[in-house]
Amino acid sequence: MSLDVARVRKDFPILDREVRPGVPLVYLDNAATSQKPTQVLDALRDYYELHNANVHRGIHTLAEEATALYEGARDKVAAFVNAADRREIVFTKNSSEALNLLSYVLPLGPGDEVVVTEMEHHSNLVPWQLACTRTGATLKWIGLTDDGRLDLADLDRVVTKRTKVVAFVHQSNLLGTVNPVDVVAAKARSVGAYVVLDASQSVPHMGVDVQALDVDFVAFTGHKMCGPTGIGVLWGRADLLEQLPPFLGGGEMIDEVTMAGSTWAALPHKYEAGTPPIAQAVGLGAAVDYLTDLGMDNVRAHEHELTAYALNALQQVDGLRIIGPTTNDERGGAISFALQGIHPHDVGQLLDERGIAVRVGHHCARPACLRYGVPATTRASVHLYSTTADIDALVTGLDHVRRFFT
Amino acid sequence: MTDESIYQEIILDHYKHPHHRGLREPFEAEVRHLNPTCGDEITLRVHLTGRTVEDVSYDGEGCSISQASASVMTDLLIGKTVDDALSIHDEFLRLMHSRGELEPDEDVLEDAVAFRGVSRLTARVKCALLAWMAWKDAVSQASGTAGDTGAGATSEGAA
């Protein structure tokens, strides 16, 4: 069964709004954040209207209900990514916090090396730069090919016996590239390194099975997958998370506390200090239900088809150069491009005058922009509710932009 | 374009046909300023003769707003005394921080009044200010190295 996009769009009230009178919204900034369906908004409202309490403490009815909803969301997320054990799902604030957590708890020291790629989002680059500065480890990276793929010829040179962590992105937010996780992970395994996957742009758009990926840790964020902001997920192998030290200290993450010292709570609570983002977790649970009902294979198929349509249509625009893969294999629906002689800011501004929302800038992936010799790009990115009409509006808008500035 | 558009004819004219563009000699100070959120950059030189802004030359790349603003700025500031130029600078900053609320003084700002619309868009104000910040920085350095006696020319921390 394929996706009924017209029906899906009815679930997203914001898609009906006008940006200004007579100018309907064309939302193509999904790699930055997704819109939220009524089902998620209702879950948030229900939680606050009927069940709001703090979790894991108190024995009153609301506390029981809130705890059941919060932990129920964990079960939903665990099932969604096929975690072997619900204790492997740690709720964080976002992907950045999940990756920062890892950069603090994974053991590193002088002589050790951390390997990333040149296409990382700053959130999977800067934490490792900081960790290397802190511990005396060295940061290395896998370069990129001209067509926007990982340069796998670099792999044997960069990943060595000194490598302790290989952290890389599943789907690039800038280029749209889907990386060969199996190839990189196998190389990392061969030298005994931890394997960290930034799945912020993949979990919202394709079925991701964390066990099948053969990696150690996966980070993703709720707001890009139709959930609220303020909730992210770290999945990690239970045996590893059990051995590793805690990250943030505080309430909830302890077992026994004395003035002399403390012991840690069992997983996952060991990594969830303080009152967690409860409503946001509940909202994410509703988003996971929503996506599961539609079927991630259907979501993937719809976006794949739309990406092919967009790649073809954009390449008909005079002076447009795609930054990233121009073919639709191993590629997601985030498409960055440069328009000859016109700055992305001007592209974005003029598109906005026509109600079209795209992202302009370096997309928190400045090294990759530098690699391709552009200070910034314009990026259009689709999601499950995007249509060919959205792409058509974009292409017409870009023609208008070109005429305006020439 | 609608009346709402930030792309006034004046701005587009300056963008397509920039005035005083290119780096020239002589100069007492050269600065390079960046707008990290969008990658706009400008290299700008200032040449002072006594208390007069003899020349402002620049090169760089960026959006139409940042480029047009540099062009408009050089028209306004070249040939003025440093003190007059600084008060024009301050007036432009006031306009850009006004969120479209200020009625700009056309006698002082001339073509720069066209940037009033930009001041409504917080994301673009930095673009419009890039050249002006660079100029302020450069003139402050040039005044210092020239051993200039003029009070006020090295004022710090405005805006």
Side-chain angles (χ1 to χ4, degrees), chain A residues 221-395:
Chain A
T221 192
H223 71 92
K224 294 187 199 293
M225 51 192 286
C226 304
T229 54
I231 181 82
V233 177
L234 169 67
W235 169 84
R237 293 187 184 283
D239 56 331
L240 297 178
L241 290 177
E242 268 163 1
Q243 295 161 24
L244 291 167
F247 172 45
L248 299 175
E252 204 69 51
M253 54 75 72
I254 45 80
D255 182 23
E256 189 173 38
V257 178
T258 68
M259 290 312 292
S262 304
T263 56
W264 315 131
L267 292 178
H269 308 294
K270 172 179 157 186
Y271 288 107
E272 294 183 359
T275 296
I278 306 166
Q280 290 79 358
V282 173
L284 176 59
V288 161
D289 282 344
Y290 183 79
L291 294 172
T292 304
D293 283 350
L294 293 176
M296 287 310 289
D297 288 346
N298 295 326
V299 169
R300 170 84 178 130
H302 168 67
E303 292 185 24
H304 188 68
E305 200 176 312
L306 199 54
T307 303
Y309 184 86
L311 284 170
N312 180 54
L314 287 170
Q315 286 176 98
Q316 314 297 318
V317 176
D318 275 348
L320 186 145
R321 170 190 162 211
I322 288 176
I323 313 290
T326 51
T327 58
N328 200 24
D329 19 81
E330 298 306 309
R331 189 196 209 298
I335 306 176
S336 272
F337 56 85
L339 208 50
Q340 175 104 45
I342 306 174
H343 192 279
H345 257 180
D346 292 320
V347 177
Q349 194 86 54
L350 280 174
L351 290 177
D352 178 65
E353 291 187 1
R354 302 166 76 91
I356 303 165
V358 294
R359 172 89 189 267
V360 297
H362 54 51
H363 315 286
C364 300
R366 189 161 178 275
C369 284
L370 294 176
R371 162 68 178 79
Y372 294 106
V374 288
T377 76
T378 304
R379 180 187 68 194
S381 51
V382 301
H383 217 312
L384 69 169
Y385 39 70
S386 304
T387 64
T388 53
D390 293 337
I391 304 302
D392 293 344
L394 172 67
V395 168

Side-chain angles (χ1 to χ4, degrees), chain A residues 66-295:
Chain A
T67 302
L69 284 165
Y70 179 70
E71 291 302 329
R74 195 189 311 277
D75 291 329
K76 291 173 183 185
V77 172
F80 188 65
V81 296
N82 194 33
D85 185 334
R86 67 184 306 279
R87 298 178 309 143
E88 296 181 327
I89 300 296
V90 174
F91 285 131
T92 62
K93 181 172 69 179
N94 46 34
S95 293
S96 295
E97 187 187 299
L99 294 163
N100 274 275
L101 184 163
L102 293 172
S103 77
Y104 270 90
V105 303
L106 292 178
L108 289 170
D112 292 343
E113 293 178 355
V114 175
V115 171
V116 296
T117 81
E118 206 176 0
M119 67 167 79
E120 295 312 310
H121 188 284
H122 296 166
S123 64
N124 198 31
L125 170 61
V126 179
W128 301 112
Q129 291 175 335
L130 291 168
C132 287
T133 304
R134 210 163 48 231
T135 62
T138 303
L139 186 75
K140 297 172 83 176
W141 55 89
I142 301 166
L144 307 180
T145 63
D146 288 343
D147 60 349
R149 309 276 179 187
L150 285 185
D151 186 358
L152 294 173
D154 259 4
L155 203 56
D156 286 338
R157 185 180 60 78
V158 176
V159 180
T160 69
K161 285 197 170 66
R162 289 183 297 278
T163 307
K164 293 294 178 287
V165 178
V166 176
F168 65 108
V169 68
H170 194 183
Q171 177 175 318
S172 162
N173 74 310
L174 175 78
L175 307 169
T177 316
V178 176
N179 287 319
V181 178
D182 52 345
V183 176
V184 180
K187 180 66 195 174
R189 291 265 180 248
S190 76
V191 299
Y194 292 108
V195 188
V196 176
L197 190 68
D198 173 3
S200 307
Q201 298 284 347
S202 55
V203 168
H205 302 287
M206 62 175 89
V208 169
D209 178 334
V210 292
Q211 296 186 70
L213 286 173
D214 192 30
V215 299
D216 296 314
F217 305 98
V218 174
F220 55 100
T221 192
H223 71 92
K224 294 187 199 293
M225 51 192 286
C226 304
T229 54
I231 181 82
V233 177
L234 169 67
W235 169 84
R237 293 187 184 283
D239 56 331
L240 297 178
L241 290 177
E242 268 163 1
Q243 295 161 24
L244 291 167
F247 172 45
L248 299 175
E252 204 69 51
M253 54 75 72
I254 45 80
D255 182 23
E256 189 173 38
V257 178
T258 68
M259 290 312 292
S262 304
T263 56
W264 315 131
L267 292 178
H269 308 294
K270 172 179 157 186
Y271 288 107
E272 294 183 359
T275 296
I278 306 166
Q280 290 79 358
V282 173
L284 176 59
V288 161
D289 282 344
Y290 183 79
L291 294 172
T292 304
D293 283 350
L294 293 176

